[in-house]
Structures are given as C-alpha cells and as structure tokens.
C-alpha cells in the first residue's frame, strides 16, 4: 500500500520523538515509523537516565554543544510534560594522583563548554556528602547541575504531544530501504508498504548508518557498544544522594552508581563492542565487570536487593561525534546518527535544531494553534490519602490495585492504554505506569494487565504480547489443549 506525507521520521526513540514534537508545530503531514511494538524500544529505554551537565564532551564537538543546550532545556520541558526529573548532582571520583589530573581536565572542559558551579573537592568533603563512599577516595569533581530523568517517560510524553498535534505514529513497521527518486521524492519501503515523502529524517539509532549509507556516498560506520546494568529495589534510604561516576575511559563515562527518579539504585553500565545491534542479552562476564567497578565506589554494595538486569546498545560512530543535519549529498534527507551518550541529555536540543533546519529549508509555516499537552495525572502511589480517596470517588477503578509492588491501579493502566500513543503490550504498560517494575517483576500483575489490555483494545487475550512481535504469553486455551491431548 502507498502512503503519502510531507515528512517521514524513521525511529521512535527519544531523538525521533523530540524531532516529531518540534515539527508538529508546523503545517506539514508527518508520519513516524518504528520497527518495535512500541516507541522507546532502542537505547532510549535502556540507559543510565543521567542528564549530563556537559563536562565530559570535547569542546567544539556537537556532543558538547547539544549536551549543554539540552541539559538546560530539560528541567522546564520535564515540568511541562510531567516527566520525572531531579537535579541530584554528580561526583566523578578519583583514587590516585593521576586521577586528579583527569578530573582537572574534565573541569577545564566543563568550564569551556559553559557548565557552571564545577569544583574539585577532597576526601573529607566527599565523605561528608556521601558517607557510603569508599573511604580510600582521594578527590572528586563535584557537578551540582547533573540530573536524573526517566528516559522512556520522556520519550512517551514527547510522542504524545506530537501525536495530539497531528503526527501519525506507526509501530511494528520496519523500514528496509530508502531511495531518492529522480523527482526528489523519497520512497521508503517497510514490508508491503511504500511511504512517499519529500523530507525523510533518519533517527534510527543503532541502524542509522544503514540508512545513511543507502543515500549518501560519504559512508558512516557505527559500532554497537553494549552496556549492562543491575537495578536494585528501592532502599529505605538511598546509599548515595548523587550520581557517582569513576574517571571516564576511551569506551565511555565508566561505571556509575546512581539513584533513579523512582527511588531505585542503578549500577552500570559495562562497555562491550558487539556485532548484532539487537543483542540486548546480559552476560555473567559483563555483570561481573560492573560489580568489580561498583565495589570500588561502594564497598558496602549487596546484590540481595537486585530485582533485574538489562542492557542497552550505544550507537558509536567512528568519528566519535554526533552526526546531525542534512545528509551529505542527498537533498531532502536529514539525520541524527551515532547518537550515543550524551544523546538523552541532548535530545530536546537535537530535535529543535533538526526542526529549525527543516522548517527553514522547506519554508514551513507555523500552525495557528497548538493543542496544549495534558500532563498525565499524578500517580496514585504519590497521592496523599485524601487525594487517593477523592480519586476513587471520581473513578472507582482507582480502588483496584493492579500492581501491588509499585501500587499501580487499574484506572492508571487503562489511562496508559488510552494515551495518544497508547500502550499495546505488557511492557508498554509497565514503562508507562510502573506496573511490573517492582520486586516481583510482573509475577503478580502481568495476567491482570493482559486482561485489561485485551478488554480495552478488543484484542483476544491469546494475542496479547509481552513486548510486541511474537512475544505471546499464552500458547492456547484450555479447551484447545484438551482437544490436543485427546488427539494424542
Ligand atoms: C548503556 C547506555 C547508557 C546511556 N546513558 C546515557 C545517559 O545516562 N545520559 C545520556 O544523555 N545518554 C545516555 N545514553 C545515550 C542515549 O540513550 C541515546 O543517545 C539515545 O537514547 C539515542 O536515542 P535515539 O532516538 O537516537 O536512538 P534509539 O532510542 O535507539 O531509537 C532508535 C529507534 O529506531 C528504531 N529503528 C531502528 N531501525 C529501524 C528500522 N529499520 N525501521 C524502523 N525503526 C527502526 C529502533 O527500534 C529505535 O526505537 C546511553 C546509552 C546507552 C546504550
């Protein structure tokens, strides 16, 4: 089938969704194509969730520019979109005199990039700020403007805002080829479908080089660099107030220990180059690497409260920098390729820059009216008892708890399914509501969530998936099985 629009965006990660939101303010028809069963299926769902202040990127690079700009936009944007964000600060710690030199270099870079309030501090002050820290620590770079955010909730909110302002989102749509015809129109192949447009934006994360290389003679090379994590259950008291980094290396910013915006403790990531961009497995070796590093920061760490492990894939471009803007030698094509860390921190600034360039190049007019974003209602678990009582009076399904670990109600699960870019799988509900994010990891609530999904979307229960594609939970009905066993 043939579909026509002005603009096609490939990839529903935080970059594609930030770009879609900015462009939704202009008079243009826009379709976003995502291969996953949900948006935020790539690096945007599996990262450290740090809003880096901008001290790490080399001055003059696109990483430095967009990191600093994006980190300045995120506090206000998160407030506007109702996305959990906290400026908790960070420490980059050193254990030897040679680390002091590295920290000094990071501070200089930070100052040149425009990061404020940076300071080198010594052991005594570090231990006062963070008593759980290894007492052998020598010095640290204190970064008060570093923050934490929920990366997938940011992506969902950007997408919802874009959708209510006219962007069409197509999930389960894998693009295989982009071709620029002689008349300047792009033909984009996805399964049996062909998408025709005059502007294409490649935001395909780990696959961004694949599409770039189909339409440009100047080739990109992306290495897939996996990062593995431990996620610990919410402790009664957070071991660290701030994000704690060790000194960075050529492979990345190193292993961190950090609070998350939801009160968990995150340990990781590792950094291993792998062939398959979809290989998000965790391995004993990768996790052992993480723990060895974590023990140096936090000797008292215990894995007794570990509730899950996961990994994400960084898209590292051989040039070492982000590739953003018009695609070399292919008019009408734009890209944000090789967006590894600090891509999450940079996302709003990258989306804005791409939209500014495209609307200028195509003389797109601003819409007369924007539909304002309605922030999702406050989570039930965060309401005061009187607010909870009022919520139940208004919508009785607030009185039915779907997920006990994270205290998520049926009313909230239904609201997640009904969002503009709504949840269609158990994991999609999990990431929008936290049902299944707790200690039992969905052991109790998954059947309930599946039943609500089936009822809300009119899908037979047997067709509900864990995470799109063929990740079915049920293999058949009891009556079918009975028939089967009789045959046997
Ligand atoms: C381990 C790790 C830790 C990180 N930590 C941080 C951090 O703390 N702070 C920070 O600022 N940044 C961090 N980052 C970087 C950040 O996560 C990324 O820069 C950001 O998520 C990239 O967004 P994206 O939209 O470019 O890519 P993605 O989120 O990967 O999105 C690309 C999308 O394109 C889709 N796609 C791919 N191929 C196709 C196709 N053929 N057809 C249709 N769709 C397709 C994918 O399914 C995916 O949804 C980290 C990354 C990793 C992996």
């Amino acid at each position: 089938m043939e579909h026509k629009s002005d603009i096609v965006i490939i990839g529903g990660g935080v970059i594609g969704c930030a770009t879609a939101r900015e462009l939704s303010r202009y008079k243009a028809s826009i379709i976003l194509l995502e291969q996953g069963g949900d948006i935020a299926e790539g690096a945007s769902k599996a990262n450290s969730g740090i809003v880096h202040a901008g001290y790490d990127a080399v001055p003059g690079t696109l990483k430095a520019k967009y990191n600093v700009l994006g980190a300045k936009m995120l506090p206000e944007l998160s407030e506007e979109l109702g996305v959990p964000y906290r400026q908790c600060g960070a420490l980059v710690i050193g254990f030897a005199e040679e680390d002091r030199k590295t920290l000094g270099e990071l501070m200089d870079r930070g100052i040149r990039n425009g990061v404020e309030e940076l300071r080198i501090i010594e052991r005594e002050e570090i231990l006062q700020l963070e008593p759980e820290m290894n007492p052998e620590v020598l010095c640290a770079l204190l970064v008060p403007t570093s923050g934490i955010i929920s990366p997938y909730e940011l992506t969902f909110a950007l997408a919802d805002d874009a959708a209510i302002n006219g962007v069409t989102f197509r999930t389960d749509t894998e693009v295989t080829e982009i071709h620029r015809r002689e008349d300047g129109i792009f033909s984009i192949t996805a399964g049996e479908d062909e998408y025709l447009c005059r502007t294409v934006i490649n935001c395909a994360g780990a696959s961004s080089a694949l599409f770039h290389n189909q339409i440009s003679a100047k080739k990109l090379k992306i290495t897939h660099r996996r990062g593995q994590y431990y996620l610990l259950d919410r402790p009664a008291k957070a071991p660290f107030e701030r994000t704690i980094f060790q000194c960075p290396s050529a492979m990345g910013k190193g292993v961190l220990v950090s609070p998350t915006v939801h009160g968990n403790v995150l340990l990781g990531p590792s950094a291993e180059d792998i062939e398959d961009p979809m290989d998000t497995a965790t391995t004993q070796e990768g996790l052992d690497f993480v723990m060895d590093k974590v023990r140096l920061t936090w000797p008292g760490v215990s894995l007794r409260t570990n509730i899950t492990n996961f990994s994400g894939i960084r898209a590292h471009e051989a040039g070492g920098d982000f590739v953003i803007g018009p695609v070399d030698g292919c008019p009408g094509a734009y890209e944000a390729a090789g967006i590894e860390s600090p891509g999450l921190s940079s996302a709003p600034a990258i989306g804005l820059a791409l939209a500014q360039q495209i609307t200028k190049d195509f003389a797109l007019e601003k819409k007369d009216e924007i539909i304002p974003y309605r922030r999702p209602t406050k989570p039930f678990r965060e309401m005061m008892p009187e607010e909870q009582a009022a919520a139940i009076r208004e919508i009785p399904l607030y009185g039915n708890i779907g997920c006990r670990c994270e205290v998520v109600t049926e009313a909230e699960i239904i609201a997640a399914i009904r969002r503009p870019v709504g949840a269609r799988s158990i994991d999609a509900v999990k990431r929008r509501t936290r049902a299944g994010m707790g200690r039992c990891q969905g052991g109790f609530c998954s059947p309930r969530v599946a039943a609500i999904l089936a009822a809300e979307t009119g899908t037979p229960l047997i067709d509900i998936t864990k995470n799109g594609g063929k990740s079915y939970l049920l293999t058949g009905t009891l009556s079918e099985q009975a028939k089967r066993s009789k045959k046997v």
Side-chain angles (χ1 to χ4, degrees):
M1 196 174 152
E2 198 177 271
H3 310 266
K4 286 188 182 150
S5 64
D6 296 318
I7 302 174
V8 167
I9 300 173
I10 305 174
V14 70
I15 303 294
C17 293
T19 309
R21 176 177 179 268
E22 291 294 343
L23 284 169
S24 70
R25 274 57 181 155
Y26 292 83
K27 292 179 184 169
S29 53
I30 306 169
I31 302 180
L32 185 146
L33 305 177
E34 165 56 49
Q35 69 181 358
D38 192 11
I39 52 169
E41 283 286 302
S44 301
K45 81 168 177 210
N47 58 56
S48 306
I50 310 298
V51 178
H52 294 291
Y55 59 82
D56 190 53
V58 177
T61 59
L62 293 182
K63 281 185 177 173
K65 174 179 162 183
Y66 288 112
N67 183 166
V68 174
L69 285 173
K72 287 204 171 124
M73 291 166 78
L74 274 168
E76 204 182 311
L77 183 64
S78 317
E79 178 61 30
E80 185 188 335
L81 299 178
V83 173
Y85 163 86
R86 183 154 64 87
Q87 190 179 315
C88 60
L91 286 172
V92 190
I93 55 173
F95 290 89
E97 279 305 326
E98 68 220 46
D99 293 338
R100 191 185 289 282
K101 189 167 159 264
T102 309
L103 296 179
E105 283 165 9
L106 289 179
M107 182 154 134
D108 286 348
R109 277 191 205 174
I111 293 167
R112 286 172 65 198
N113 289 342
V115 183
E116 290 164 6
E117 301 174 53
L118 295 172
R119 195 157 64 85
I120 303 277
I121 60 174
E122 301 299 320
R123 177 182 294 135
E124 200 185 340
E125 188 173 352
I126 301 170
L127 294 177
Q128 257 174 18
L129 292 176
E130 300 289 3
E132 289 288 323
M133 179 79 73
N134 184 346
E136 286 174 22
V137 67
L138 187 67
C139 51
L141 176 64
L142 177 65
V143 191
T145 55
S146 181
I148 48 178
I149 195 165
S150 168
Y152 38 87
E153 286 176 77
L154 174 64
T155 309
F156 296 141
L158 292 166
D160 281 348
D161 192 350
I164 57 174
N165 283 291
V167 176
T168 303
F169 284 77
R170 294 241 158 93
T171 51
D172 284 314
T173 305
E174 184 185 358
V175 174
T176 46
E177 202 182 344
I178 314 179
H179 163 68
R180 187 173 186 275
R181 300 189 323 205
E182 279 188 0
D183 60 2
I185 297 289
F186 288 95
S187 156
I188 298 165
T189 310
E192 300 289 301
D193 293 323
E194 184 185 22
Y195 292 83
L196 300 173
C197 60
R198 59 187 173 130
T199 309
V200 61
I201 314 172
N202 169 15
C203 300
S207 303
S208 50
L210 183 80
F211 296 123
H212 170 100
N213 293 342
Q214 288 178 359
I215 50 175
S216 177
K218 197 172 165 196
K219 304 298 179 197
L220 293 183
K221 183 173 178 347
I222 287 196
T223 303
H224 306 114
R225 191 162 287 168
R226 184 168 60 192
Q228 304 188 31
Y229 292 92
Y230 284 92
L231 185 72
L232 309 189
D233 202 2
R234 278 194 299 261
K237 183 182 174 318
F240 296 96
E241 292 291 323
R242 293 161 191 77
T243 303
I244 314 294
F245 296 95
Q246 294 174 10
C247 284
S249 75
M251 292 294 272
K253 295 181 186 64
V255 171
L256 57 77
V257 179
S258 183
T260 71
V261 279
H262 295 293
N264 299 83
V265 181
L266 189 65
L267 314 176
S270 58
E272 324 129 41
D273 291 349
I274 54 166
E275 283 302 315
D276 179 359
M278 309 297 279
D279 183 4
T280 51
T282 54
T283 63
Q284 194 61 52
E285 204 186 348
L287 293 172
D288 287 349
F289 170 86
V290 168
M291 277 319 290
D292 279 352
K293 297 279 180 191
V294 166
R295 281 194 193 96
L296 185 63
T297 298
W298 182 20
V301 62
S302 158
L303 287 183
R304 289 188 62 188
T305 57
N306 182 45
I307 50 175
T308 191
N309 298 101
F310 64 91
S311 77
I313 314 283
R314 306 169 181 91
H316 173 75
E317 208 287 311
D321 201 2
F322 294 159
V323 181
I324 295 169
V327 175
D328 200 73
C330 188
Y334 298 81
E335 65 193 343
I339 310 297
E340 58 181 338
S341 186
L344 171 66
S345 320
S346 311
I350 296 176
L352 181 64
L354 281 172
Q356 281 172 341
Q357 171 109 47
I358 291 164
T359 52
K360 186 166 148 265
D361 291 353
F362 287 86
L364 295 181
E365 275 178 51
K366 275 213 152 168
K367 284 180 182 164
D368 303 326
E369 247 179 82
I370 300 298
I371 300 172
Y373 182 74
R374 273 188 60 204
R375 294 160 47 119
T377 36
K378 190 175 181 180
F380 187 75
R381 65 183 165 276
E382 290 173 18
M383 292 180 190
M384 300 302 288
E386 55 277 18
E387 291 176 302
Q388 292 182 331
I392 294 168
R393 268 196 306 277
E394 196 188 333
I395 304 174
L397 283 177
Y398 267 114
N400 290 2
I401 299 297
C403 165
R404 291 186 240 168
C405 304
E406 295 293 304
V407 194
V408 182
T409 65
E410 286 195 19
E412 291 168 292
I413 295 168
I414 290 171
I417 298 166
R418 292 183 184 171
R419 279 175 73 153
V421 184
R424 291 293 175 270
S425 67
I426 293 191
D427 281 357
V429 167
K430 173 169 89 172
R431 287 193 282 271
R432 284 169 180 79
T433 63
R434 295 192 60 72
M437 285 270 187
R439 183 169 287 208
C440 89
Q441 287 288 293
F444 283 102
C445 64
S446 289
R448 188 75 210 112
V449 171
I452 298 172
L453 270 166
E456 270 294 306
T457 60
T459 310
L461 190 56
I462 204 156
D463 291 334
I464 297 295
T465 62
K466 179 171 185 318
N467 197 23
K470 292 191 175 147
S471 59
Y472 300 111
L473 296 167
L474 304 173
T475 54
T477 60
L478 282 176
S479 56
E480 275 173 354
Q481 286 202 348
K483 274 186 229 153
R484 256 183 240 155
S485 50
K486 270 183 205 151
K487 276 185 207 156
V488 176

